[in-house]
């Protein structure tokens, strides 16, 4: 490690030796116009390049106008727009330039055609990913990352914030290309939608990316303003049920520095209710339970995100960022348990009150260096990231029997003090051989240390005592080292990319009582391949393959679970093994006039796939924990479409269907199962009079089964309105989530001598009013250039 650090420092000192001269800032302006219709093209991308490197970029306003600033010098200006031929022009910037009208023509033979598949997003088909530009999505802009993802095609978010990609919950979520505490512990609500530039959906990642996530990768790119001088925005939102949020973005840019910051606060309360019917045992010896739960969840979130770009010269840049979030979770739950005997007569009623408090302190430091070279596209990036967080879970329980006679109140409590330190080092090098061929390579090392001190106590005879011996400290250590290489090229109409990645993993679990101690080492090779063929008339076909891994997380391995409920408990399984997936996909993209379609078929074979097993213990409690089963085969079809019948209307749809076969045995019980599942989303965006925009979204998720459980079908509808004010300096928007209060999760689980039925939902629709004010910005300013993150 010392040799690696010294080598890196020597490399940096060599690259930093290059200097630059400070020059005067000038401005280029113009208007992008459709050559045939003579109408302005709103939201076209305009970028300027110097020696093959992007210097800056912006998108045009609703009148097709743009204004972009840079130092004096020679530049290549490019204008790009959905399905239009790219416009290129050399400019000499000695003084402010007005290029006037720039006419662009429709391109019918684009290799990587941009296809709109969602009201809020444009989707660009590349060799290894689809890019969803968040844009002006009314349904998501008032919320958080959770709402953004729930409006992205192929992605779904459940009632607890769990994310699935194509119905597979094993998806890796990255921030700016790297793991982050920002999404730890289902923390999607920690990131405001205002701070998100785009979301990259990568179902078959190339070898450049870490191999974790058998469903693929969701990469969230945060905004970082590129306007000169001081600029920013202030956003205030209120909701019913209670949800208050304030978000302030500030940016200051000079020739040498770009400072950016976000300060945010959110206080949200969620009211939930649940009904459970559970039967344990057989015949007259059975016990039936009716359970009713009302819960109130309050999240108090405060965050600070600051950063700085230092432009050493035109070929070297340093970026440093710091993120801090303080979270206070306060949950209260009331449980009522009605127990019936085998003759269906009420035997007893028990009530339980839970008070749960969880303060969390999350921190993230990041330092990135980028070096470009005279050769076009040649680039070196070095990243170091340090995440550290503390989490203190405190649970107090009061339990009392009230039928047939009132009993004494039994007090118990649990506490889990957790902390984590995560380190990440990554180096990437891109070296184009020529205009058609590029070689890439890189190394990556990450280390994670999680400590957990868990105990359960009950109040007996005036003192707290350890309950059932549940007291233990657990240390989880994870080390992952990776190296990759890949090559991409183009031959006539065929573009291809071939890659290979190797990762070494070491996971160590050590507990104080030496009950769950375990060490696992494994090395895996992950090949990738992407091939695209371009037909005529803007149509292309893509075939891709990747090998992926699902490593058991600390959550899967930690044997301790919560004790809030009397009848069900969750436990981890320290003996879990990683699952490996071979993923194949064939995608097609085509434009037919105003209709755009993007169908794809995919196949995934997973060995040692993760499932959840539920069994009834001797006390009648249902214990659920993760296990490995032998294998799963999944075959699916996905279709995304967009149709623009009128200038004032856009219709979009996405449909996903897959069938699966699961094979495996656990505790001498066979869990072979076959089924299919589908879900769809249909949305519309309509421009109304008085410059008001309306957006609607309908979501339907069909019934889904596995060997032990059935998740019932459900649907929900969202509605939003938005209007710009004061010359587009401000935006007011209003939306309704779950208009018909229909987003209910219903589950039926059966096993040996038990059945369990649950119905759970948030109470009522959510109404949100939001006001956004910008200064020195436009409503459609693109805050971060395409393809750029801190990395």
């Amino acid at each position: 490690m010392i040799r690696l650090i010294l080598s890196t420092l020597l490399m940096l000192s060599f690259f930093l030796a290059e200097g630059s001269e400070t020059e005067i800032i000038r401005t280029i302006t113009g208007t992008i116009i459709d050559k045939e219709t003579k109408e302005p093209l709103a939201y076209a991308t305009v970028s300027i390049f110097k020696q093959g490197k992007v210097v800056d970029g912006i998108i045009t306003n609703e009148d097709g106008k743009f204004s972009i600033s840079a130092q004096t010098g020679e530049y290549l200006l490019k204008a790009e727009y959905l399905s239009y031929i790219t416009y290129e022009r050399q400019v000499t910037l000695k003084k402010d330039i007005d290029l006037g009208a720039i006419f662009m023509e429709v391109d019918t033979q684009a290799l990587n055609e941009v296809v709109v598949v969602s009201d809020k997003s444009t989707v660009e088909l590349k060799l290894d990913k689809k890019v969803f530009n968040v844009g002006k999505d009314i349904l998501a802009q008032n919320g958080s990352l959770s709402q953004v993802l729930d409006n992205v095609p192929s992605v779904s978010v459940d009632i607890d914030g769990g994310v699935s990609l194509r119905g597979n919950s094993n998806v890796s979520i990255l921030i700016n290309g790297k793991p982050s505490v920002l999404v730890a512990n289902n923390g999607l609500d920690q990131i405001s939608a205002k701070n998100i530039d785009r979301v990259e959906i990568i179902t078959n990642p190339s070898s450049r990316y870490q191999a974790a996530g058998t469903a693929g990768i969701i990469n969230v790119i945060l905004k970082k303003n590129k306007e000169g001088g001081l600029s920013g925005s202030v956003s205030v939102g209120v909701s019913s049920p209670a949800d208050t949020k304030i978000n302030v973005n500030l940016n200051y840019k000079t020739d040498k520095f770009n400072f950016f910051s976000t300060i945010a606060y959110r206080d949200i309360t969620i009211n939930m209710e649940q009904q459970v019917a559970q039967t344990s045992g057989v015949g007259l010896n059975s016990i039936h339970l009716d359970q009713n739960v009302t819960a109130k969840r309050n999240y108090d979130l405060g965050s600070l995100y600051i950063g700085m770009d230092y432009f050493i010269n035109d070929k070297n840049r340093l970026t440093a960022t710091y993120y801090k979030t303080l979270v206070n979770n306060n949950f209260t739950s009331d449980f009522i348990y009605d127990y019936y005997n085998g003759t269906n007569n009420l035997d007893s009623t028990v009530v339980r009150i839970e008070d749960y408090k969880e303060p969390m302190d999350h921190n993230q430091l990041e330092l990135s260096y980028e070096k470009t070279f005279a050769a076009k596209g040649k680039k070196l990036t070095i990243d170091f990231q340090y995440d550290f967080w503390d989490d203190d879970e405190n649970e107090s329980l009061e339990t009392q029997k009230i039928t047939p006679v009132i009993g004494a109140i039994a007090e118990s409590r649990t506490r889990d003090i957790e902390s984590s330190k995560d380190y990440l080092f990554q180096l990437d090098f891109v070296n184009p051989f020529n205009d058609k061929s590029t070689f890439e390579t890189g190394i990556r090392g990450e280390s994670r240390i999680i400590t957990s001190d868990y105990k359960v106590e009950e109040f007996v005879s005036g003192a707290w005592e350890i309950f059932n011996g549940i007291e233990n400290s657990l240390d989880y250590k994870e080390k992952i080292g990776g190296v990759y290489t890949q090559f991409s090229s183009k031959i006539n109409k065929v573009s291809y990319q071939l890659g290979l990645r190797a990762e070494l993993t070491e996971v160590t679990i050590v507990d104080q009582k030496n009950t769950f101690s375990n060490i696992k080492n494994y090395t895996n090779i992950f090949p990738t391949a992407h091939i695209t063929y371009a037909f005529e008339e803007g149509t292309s076909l893509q075939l891709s393959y990747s090998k992926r891994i699902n490593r058991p997380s600390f959550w899967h391995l930690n044997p301790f679970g919560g004790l809030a409920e009397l009848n069900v408990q969750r436990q981890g399984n320290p003996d879990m093994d990683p699952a490996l997936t071979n993923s194949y996909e064939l995608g097609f993209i085509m434009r037919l006039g105003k209709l755009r379609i993007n169908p794809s078929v995919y196949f995934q074979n997973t060995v040692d796939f993760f499932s959840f097993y539920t069994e009834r213990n001797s006390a009648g409690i249902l214990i659920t924990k993760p296990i490995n089963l032998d294998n799963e085969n999944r075959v699916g079809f996905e279709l995304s479409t967009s149709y623009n019948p009128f200038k004032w209307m856009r219709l979009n749809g996405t449909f996903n269907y897959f069938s699966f076969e699961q094979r495996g045995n656990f505790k001498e019980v066979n869990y072979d199962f076959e089924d299919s599942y589908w879900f769809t989303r249909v949305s519309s965006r309509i421009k109304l009079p008085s410059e008001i925009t309306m957006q609607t979204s309908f979501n339907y998720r069909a019934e889904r089964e596995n060997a032990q459980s059935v998740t019932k079908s459900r649907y929900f509808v969202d509605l939003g309105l938005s209007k710009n004010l004061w010359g587009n300096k401000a935006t007011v928007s209003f939306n309704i989530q779950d208009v018909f209060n229909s987003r209910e999760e219903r589950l039926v689980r059966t096993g040996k001598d038990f059945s369990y039925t649950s119905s759970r939902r948030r109470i009522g629709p959510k109404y949100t009013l939001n006001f956004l004010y910008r200064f020195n910005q436009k409503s459609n300013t693109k805050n971060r250039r395409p393809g750029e993150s801190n990395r």
Side-chain angles (χ1 to χ4, degrees):
M1 178 59 73
I2 294 176
R3 291 183 178 179
L4 177 61
I5 294 175
L6 290 175
S7 300
T8 302
L9 291 175
L10 288 173
M11 189 183 302
L12 283 173
S13 64
F14 173 77
F15 289 138
L16 296 178
E18 300 181 3
S20 67
E21 299 180 357
T22 302
E23 299 182 76
I24 300 173
I25 300 298
R26 297 299 185 187
T27 302
I28 306 172
T29 57
T31 305
I32 307 298
I33 296 176
D34 185 298
K35 184 175 182 180
E36 181 178 355
T37 64
K38 302 300 187 292
E39 293 182 354
L41 296 177
Y43 318 125
T45 301
V46 181
S47 307
I48 53 175
F49 297 75
K50 190 171 185 178
Q51 297 179 338
K53 177 180 180 294
V54 177
V55 176
D56 208 346
I58 199 171
I59 60 176
T60 59
N61 64 17
E62 295 180 354
D63 297 322
K65 297 182 181 298
F66 70 90
S67 176
I68 192 168
S69 300
Q71 297 176 346
T72 56
E74 300 287 336
Y75 295 94
L76 172 65
L77 181 140
K78 285 187 179 182
E80 300 170 286
Y81 193 74
L82 182 68
S83 303
Y84 280 68
I85 297 175
T86 300
Y87 172 89
E88 296 186 2
R89 177 173 177 173
Q90 293 288 342
V91 293
T92 301
L93 192 56
K94 294 182 178 179
K95 60 181 181 179
D96 294 344
I97 300 175
D98 185 2
L99 299 179
I102 297 176
F103 296 97
M104 296 184 66
E105 298 178 82
V106 174
D107 182 9
T108 59
Q109 298 182 7
L111 171 62
N112 291 322
E113 184 187 9
V114 177
V115 177
V116 177
V117 299
S118 171
D119 290 40
K120 67 179 179 60
S121 310
T122 56
V123 183
E124 184 178 357
L125 178 64
K126 296 187 177 182
L127 279 176
D128 60 352
K129 63 186 173 185
K130 296 178 182 179
V131 180
F132 296 81
N133 298 304
V134 172
K136 300 170 71 175
D137 180 19
I138 303 170
L139 300 180
Q141 64 182 243
N142 293 341
S144 62
L145 175 57
S146 179
Q147 280 78 52
V148 171
L149 294 180
D150 209 21
N151 282 278
V152 172
S154 306
V155 180
S156 59
V157 182
D158 65 25
I159 197 171
D160 295 313
V163 179
S164 297
L165 177 59
R166 289 178 171 173
N168 187 343
S169 60
N170 181 228
V171 55
S172 180
I173 302 178
L174 308 179
I175 302 295
N176 291 338
K178 295 179 285 296
S180 173
V181 296
L182 301 177
V183 294
N185 302 319
N186 284 338
L188 303 182
D189 286 329
Q190 298 179 29
I191 304 176
S192 171
K194 303 293 183 185
N195 304 330
I196 301 171
D197 181 18
R198 65 187 185 275
V199 177
E200 299 175 343
I201 304 299
I202 314 171
T203 52
N204 260 350
S206 71
S207 62
R208 180 191 306 114
Y209 294 93
Q210 61 187 64
T214 56
I217 290 174
I218 297 176
N219 187 23
V220 180
I221 306 298
L222 303 181
K223 291 179 179 178
K224 187 172 63 177
N225 203 307
K226 292 298 181 181
E227 293 292 308
L230 178 65
S231 60
S233 64
V234 179
S235 172
V236 179
V238 293
S239 301
S240 177
D243 185 0
T244 303
K245 42 190 172 289
I246 302 173
N247 191 282
V248 179
N249 290 280
L250 296 173
N251 191 93
Y252 182 72
K253 186 175 184 294
T254 66
D255 294 346
K256 283 288 186 179
F257 294 94
N258 179 40
F259 300 95
F260 48 93
S261 65
T262 298
I263 302 172
Y265 173 77
R266 186 178 190 188
D267 185 89
I268 176 174
T269 298
I270 299 173
N271 297 307
M272 303 185 67
E273 62 181 11
Q274 180 181 22
Q275 291 81 40
V276 172
Q278 179 179 328
T279 299
S280 301
V282 180
L284 294 177
N285 294 322
S286 65
I287 298 175
H288 180 78
L289 166 66
D290 285 340
Q291 175 189 357
N292 288 277
V293 186
T294 56
K296 180 179 181 180
R297 298 180 178 179
N298 177 259
Y299 305 85
D300 189 69
L301 312 168
S303 64
L304 171 67
Y305 178 59
I306 57 175
M308 177 193 71
D309 292 319
Y310 172 46
F311 305 99
I312 303 168
N313 51 50
D314 62 352
K315 292 185 174 61
N316 295 274
R317 184 186 70 182
L318 279 173
T319 298
T321 63
Y322 171 65
Y323 183 92
K324 183 180 185 67
T325 177
L326 296 173
V327 182
N328 280 300
N329 295 330
N330 291 279
F331 303 163
T332 57
S333 301
D334 294 330
F335 301 85
I336 301 176
Y337 300 89
D338 289 325
Y339 293 93
Y340 296 84
N341 57 30
T343 58
N344 205 31
N345 292 318
L346 180 64
D347 179 78
S348 60
T349 298
V350 177
V351 296
R352 169 173 277 198
I353 299 174
E354 178 200 23
D355 184 15
Y356 179 89
K357 299 184 184 299
E358 182 185 15
M360 296 186 290
D361 183 0
H362 292 174
N363 301 268
Q364 177 177 297
L365 286 165
E366 183 180 357
L367 180 65
S368 301
Y369 167 72
E370 180 182 291
K371 163 73 178 178
T372 57
F373 300 82
K376 180 180 178 181
K378 188 175 181 180
K379 183 170 67 172
L380 170 74
T381 57
I382 301 174
D383 294 286
F384 174 77
Q385 183 174 299
Y386 173 44
D387 295 350
F388 54 101
W389 54 264
D390 296 288
D391 188 357
D392 189 358
E393 302 180 32
N394 297 270
E395 182 182 44
S396 298
L397 302 164
E398 291 185 355
T399 308
Q400 182 181 27
K401 180 183 287 189
I402 61 173
T403 301
V405 295
I406 298 178
I409 297 176
E411 297 181 71
S412 58
R413 66 186 185 185
T414 71
R415 188 175 187 185
D416 188 8
I417 302 175
E418 293 183 348
S419 64
S420 176
K421 294 181 179 180
D422 305 344
Y423 301 89
L424 170 66
F425 174 83
Q426 183 165 322
L427 183 148
D428 299 281
F429 179 66
V430 181
N431 185 24
F433 293 149
N434 49 51
D435 291 340
K436 296 182 178 180
S437 301
T438 300
F439 171 78
E440 298 179 53
T441 188
I443 60 174
R444 176 191 181 97
E446 54 187 309
S447 172
R448 172 176 297 172
I449 302 173
I450 300 177
T451 61
S452 173
D453 188 356
Y454 184 79
K455 66 179 178 180
V456 180
E457 297 175 297
E458 61 178 347
F459 195 70
V460 180
S461 301
W464 288 101
E465 298 180 357
I466 298 299
F467 174 72
N468 285 348
I470 304 178
E471 181 186 26
N472 207 348
S473 295
L474 190 73
D475 289 336
Y476 172 88
K477 298 180 181 180
E478 178 184 83
K479 296 179 182 179
I480 302 175
V483 60
Y484 77 91
T485 182
Q486 66 182 28
F487 177 77
S488 59
S489 187
K490 178 182 176 182
I491 303 175
N492 297 323
K493 295 183 178 183
V494 177
S495 298
Y496 64 91
Q497 182 185 81
L498 304 175
L500 191 66
R501 185 179 188 92
E503 290 187 351
L504 171 65
T505 305
E506 178 183 283
V507 176
T508 304
I509 303 175
V510 179
D511 70 302
Q512 190 177 31
K513 296 182 178 180
N514 202 31
T515 305
F516 307 106
S517 298
N518 201 351
I519 299 177
K520 293 196 175 185
N521 293 278
Y522 43 90
T523 301
N524 303 99
I525 303 297
F526 303 96
T528 64
H530 299 78
I531 302 173
T532 299
Y533 182 83
F535 297 93
E536 301 297 332
E537 301 300 327
T539 300
S540 60
L541 188 70
Q542 182 185 83
L543 177 65
S544 61
Y545 163 77
S546 69
K547 188 173 184 178
R548 311 289 298 162
I549 189 171
N550 182 10
R551 296 183 180 90
S553 66
F554 177 71
W555 183 85
H556 288 97
L557 300 173
N558 187 357
F560 306 116
L563 300 177
E565 299 189 51
L566 294 173
N567 55 319
V568 294
Q569 291 180 17
R570 185 202 65 81
Q571 294 180 357
N573 179 4
D575 198 39
M576 290 284 290
D577 291 318
L580 293 170
T581 295
N582 289 291
S583 177
Y584 306 82
E585 183 169 349
L586 179 65
F588 185 70
I589 192 166
M590 181 173 61
R591 177 185 180 186
L592 298 173
K594 298 179 179 180
L595 175 66
R596 298 172 176 89
I597 59 174
N598 179 202
S600 60
V601 293
Y602 56 92
F603 171 75
Q604 295 175 331
N605 169 257
T606 303
V607 179
D608 292 327
F609 85 99
F610 292 6
S611 186
F612 285 90
Y613 164 79
T614 300
E615 65 178 347
R616 174 175 170 260
N617 67 11
S618 58
I621 299 174
L622 301 185
I623 307 297
T624 298
K625 64 180 181 180
I627 60 172
N628 290 110
L629 293 181
D630 291 344
N631 62 77
E632 180 190 65
N633 289 326
R634 179 178 297 199
V635 179
F637 170 76
E638 184 176 62
L639 175 66
S640 297
T641 63
S642 176
Y643 180 53
N644 295 70
F646 311 103
K647 292 182 179 180
W648 49 269
M649 176 184 286
R650 175 178 296 163
L651 304 174
N652 305 274
T654 181
F655 173 82
N656 192 294
Y657 169 88
F658 64 86
S659 61
F660 61 89
E661 298 178 352
Q662 297 174 346
R663 299 288 183 265
N665 296 278
F666 184 74
K667 290 189 174 181
E668 300 181 353
V669 178
N670 182 268
Y671 289 96
D672 291 357
F673 195 79
E674 299 178 11
D675 196 24
S676 60
Y677 173 67
W678 65 275
F679 60 91
T680 186
R681 176 185 291 118
V682 179
S683 60
S684 66
R685 187 182 181 93
I686 299 173
K687 292 185 177 181
L688 302 174
S690 301
E691 298 184 354
I692 297 174
T693 302
M694 180 176 72
Q695 187 174 330
T696 61
S697 177
F698 171 80
N699 295 262
Y700 180 82
R701 297 168 189 173
E703 184 174 281
R704 184 173 183 177
E705 297 185 48
N706 63 24
Q708 278 195 315
S709 64
V710 177
T711 302
K712 299 295 185 179
S713 62
R714 61 191 182 276
Y715 76 93
F716 55 95
V717 176
D718 298 330
L719 171 67
L721 296 169
S722 177
K723 178 177 173 58
N724 286 336
L725 305 171
W726 307 336
N728 293 337
K729 291 184 178 180
T731 300
V732 61
S733 55
F734 173 76
N735 63 30
I736 308 174
Q737 285 182 269
D738 195 10
V739 175
F740 302 109
N741 195 25
S742 57
R743 194 166 185 171
E744 180 180 11
E745 295 192 353
R746 296 171 295 162
L747 174 70
V748 178
R749 181 176 288 126
T750 56
K752 183 179 180 181
D753 297 338
F754 78 86
S755 65
Y756 176 91
T757 301
S758 169
S759 173
R760 196 162 62 103
R761 67 184 179 94
R762 297 182 178 182
I763 300 175
K766 182 176 181 179
Y767 305 89
T768 301
L769 179 66
N770 193 83
F771 177 78
L772 171 68
Y773 178 76
R774 314 170 190 86
F775 55 94
N776 295 337
Q777 286 188 344
K778 294 183 171 59
S779 63
N780 54 356
T781 298
K782 193 161 183 66
N783 291 317
R784 187 186 284 268
R785 292 193 298 264
E788 180 189 20
S789 69
N790 286 352
R791 211 160 60 85

